[in-house]
Amino acid sequence: VSVGAGNGAGVVQVMQNLEGVQGSVFNTPTVILVEQLGGMEDIPEGVTALLARSAIDVLSHVAIRARNQGVVMACCFDEGAWNTLKSEAQAAAQSGTPLQVVAGSDGEVHVKPAPPGVASAVLSAASGPTSNSNPNKVRVQVGKVAGASEWALPESGFTAGKVGAKALNLSKLRSALPAGGPYGLPVSVSLPFGTFERVLAAGENSGTAADLKALQQQLAAAAAGGDRRAALPVLAAARRLVGDRLVAPQALVSEVQRVAVQSGLVAADHWSPESWSALWRAVCGVWASQFTDRAWLARQAGGVPEDALRMAVLLQQVVPADFAFVLHTACPLTGASGLVSGELVMGMGETLVGNHPGRALSFQQPAPGSLVKVTCLPSKHTGLFAAGPNIIARSDSNAEDLEGFAGAGLYDSIPIKQLQPRVLRYNQDRLLQDQQYREGLLASVVEAGRAVEGAFRGVPQDVEGVVQGGKITLVQARPQVL
């Protein structure tokens, strides 16, 4: 899933999941064996390799985070092999013997006792002067923000400094792709940088702003004291405050309505107090995600000052998907150009990027024009589906989707109408039962990825899209982190 620097060595910890170590810093390089890995965890600082019993989608957010941090990550499907590895790891943990995990570009992973020189370096790291530093630590340089005087911007107003990379990349993609071409792009409206701060400064939110400032001071004290765990209840309080108590100024409501209707994001006869209330809850939920444990801890680890973060919100049309896909237009393991890797699920893409249980259908095209090869059949039990017109409020901060740092899944994206789960019937779907249909579908998806890479002048891209009734809609593109 991630080869990191090719190998990772460290003392060993064996655990059920990563929940208990979120926000932790391992002063000694550490190899973790974990039974269950979801899609929302962060990989703690100091971890050099992460081996999981559960399946990991190669293009899921947690896998992208591993590659971003230079961590070796792999999963084991063979129960016997896992049990043997787990027993050896537990013995190594008890004796304090470091292990070395070596990953090749062919996907083979070898776990063995660390050679004497490597073991010595691991064991001496905790007592060294830089014992709390991680050579793979990612430092995030946030994007520049100019702010905007508007409450809402149509796509024609998406400019650097006013909106985040999600919005900018979609606007650039629409300009670069041929008009009337085979690929659709969703209608989008942005609540630009500075909107959250302007809402807080409004008179109707003065009490909420004062309470939030007090909580932020408590967070700063927790960060300064190095007590990250003390911050967790404060973060929960901040999320409730922003998610539940913010009141929208009337000028914002009127401008969002005007821009949304003019852009075609919302039909004029579908705008109502009820629809606005649902939209506002989603927007506030995105702003509240600044204060999730994972996001705050990631900013601490990445050296992002709290007052440097700005959160625009991209309001985007939801295209009800038959299938959703993620593509990397360079090999995600080696960075080799020409090879396109993809994963596809039935329904919406949340089950893929969130690494929901089971595997996505995985495929590769080694070179342009070559046969698309299926490398893994799908096994996800449940898909998520959109019913009827819907809008999703997507985070678009200045600390994600950056060149060299994806920030994948760090902040929330919230649909106004909840997606509906459905048990998948692979034996009744053309995706598996009709080889000609599957080959044509995957070839079209790969071609879309190559078109996006071409639109961005050959820079490898991380592309998300959906297929509905045979038509491909591209919902996101960002530079692939190599």
Side-chain angles (χ1 to χ4, degrees), residues 233-406:
V234 183
L235 289 165
R239 290 195 299 275
R240 289 192 297 271
L241 196 69
V242 174
D244 299 339
R245 281 180 46 185
L246 282 181
V247 177
Q250 186 55 48
L252 180 150
V253 180
S254 300
E255 191 165 330
V256 171
Q257 178 182 6
R258 177 181 61 80
V259 174
V261 170
Q262 289 179 351
S263 300
L265 181 67
V266 178
D269 57 354
H270 285 178
W271 185 275
S272 67
E274 293 75 22
S275 65
W276 164 251
S277 178
L279 181 60
W280 181 243
R281 284 196 304 271
V283 169
C284 291
V286 173
W287 283 334
S289 71
Q290 299 173 66
F291 302 104
T292 62
D293 302 350
R294 186 163 51 96
W296 186 81
L297 292 168
R299 290 197 297 277
Q300 296 297 306
V304 178
E306 288 298 291
D307 59 2
L309 179 70
R310 292 293 182 272
M311 179 72 75
V313 179
L314 185 65
L315 304 178
Q316 194 172 70
Q317 177 188 37
V318 173
V319 178
D322 301 323
F323 307 103
F325 61 85
V326 176
L327 297 170
H328 282 192
T329 63
C331 177
L333 298 182
T334 67
S337 61
L339 184 149
V340 173
S341 293
E343 291 183 323
L344 179 143
V345 295
M346 295 172 64
M348 305 300 289
E350 280 74 4
T351 60
L352 169 52
V353 298
N355 197 46
H356 288 206
R359 290 297 305 272
L361 187 148
S362 301
F363 53 94
Q364 290 184 342
Q365 187 186 54
S370 64
L371 182 68
V372 178
K373 301 177 181 179
V374 173
T375 56
C376 181
L377 293 173
S379 62
K380 293 187 184 295
H381 177 266
T382 304
L384 293 173
F385 293 83
N390 201 354
I391 295 172
I392 188 168
R394 307 186 69 190
S395 67
D396 198 19
S397 77
N398 63 335
E400 59 186 314
D401 298 311
L402 306 173
E403 189 170 352
F405 180 75

Side-chain angles (χ1 to χ4, degrees), residues 73-111:
M73 176 183 280
C75 55
C76 180
F77 297 118
D78 186 282
E79 185 173 357
W82 175 259
N83 288 336
T84 299
L85 175 60
K86 184 177 176 181
S87 296
E88 293 173 351
Q90 288 171 331
Q94 291 174 356
S95 65
T97 303
L99 292 182
Q100 185 176 45
V101 181
V102 180
S105 60
D106 59 357
E108 289 291 324
V109 177
H110 302 277
V111 183

